[in-house]
Amino acid sequence: MTVTSPAFVAGLVADAEAAGITGFVAAAVINHDGRTLLVRRNPDDYLGGMWEIPSGTVEPGETILDALYRETAEETGLTVDQVTGYVGHFDYRNSRGGTTRQFNFAVTVEKTEPVVLTEHDAHQWALPGELPEVSDAVRGLLTC
């Protein structure tokens, strides 16, 4: 079963719902020349100043993969070319005090530049061994 199949994605949702999680985020792990694209949260945002992979909320009526494509374009200006793998998930406490599950997918993009930020104040292409201030969950995801 491929990671882009409706059955695979439905299984991810079913597992999260069975764990009592109702908030979903789709995230894109974009690699280029051995580096991963990271974006930094605005200082006045929840977890301000923290670096993360491009990600965003799965909206009502949207699939995880739909959100992956939309959020990548909205946050970086980059267009996802292909979803190449599922690299796992992690759960975190969101700004409203609930639990959100972030589903992380390896993707390729049509072009790696220019990165156009709309919700973050900086970006960088980071080597796994030289990550800036990221969460332990993101560090584990990118260095395993």
Side-chain angles (χ1 to χ4, degrees):
M1 182 180 324
T2 67
V3 298
T4 57
S5 76
F8 179 82
V9 174
L12 295 177
V13 171
D15 289 348
E17 289 174 342
I21 296 168
T22 56
F24 304 144
V25 163
V29 178
I30 305 166
N31 291 307
H32 177 66
D33 290 340
R35 298 172 184 266
T36 302
L37 178 63
L38 297 174
V39 292
R40 187 174 63 196
R41 297 182 72 86
N42 286 315
D44 55 347
D45 279 355
Y46 180 67
L47 300 176
M50 190 74 114
W51 289 86
E52 61 188 0
I53 54 179
S55 59
T57 302
V58 178
E59 301 294 344
E62 189 175 47
T63 70
I64 294 169
L65 293 177
D66 290 342
L68 177 69
Y69 281 80
R70 179 183 54 76
E71 286 287 349
T72 302
E74 285 179 5
E75 290 196 356
T76 67
L78 303 178
T79 301
V80 172
D81 182 45
Q82 185 177 6
V83 178
T84 59
Y86 178 65
V87 294
H89 69 266
F90 56 82
D91 300 337
Y92 64 92
R93 179 88 38 217
N94 62 41
S95 62
R96 296 167 309 286
T99 301
T100 295
R101 178 158 293 175
Q102 180 168 310
F103 301 98
N104 304 286
F105 293 87
V107 303
T108 58
V109 291
E110 291 177 1
K111 299 183 303 186
T112 56
E113 297 292 338
V115 175
V116 179
L117 302 176
T118 58
E119 300 176 22
H120 298 84
D121 69 351
H123 80 279
Q124 68 172 282
W125 293 92
L127 290 168
E130 299 174 2
L131 297 176
E133 184 183 352
V134 295
S135 68
D136 290 342
V138 169
R139 186 172 304 282
L141 186 75
L142 299 180
T143 59
C144 60

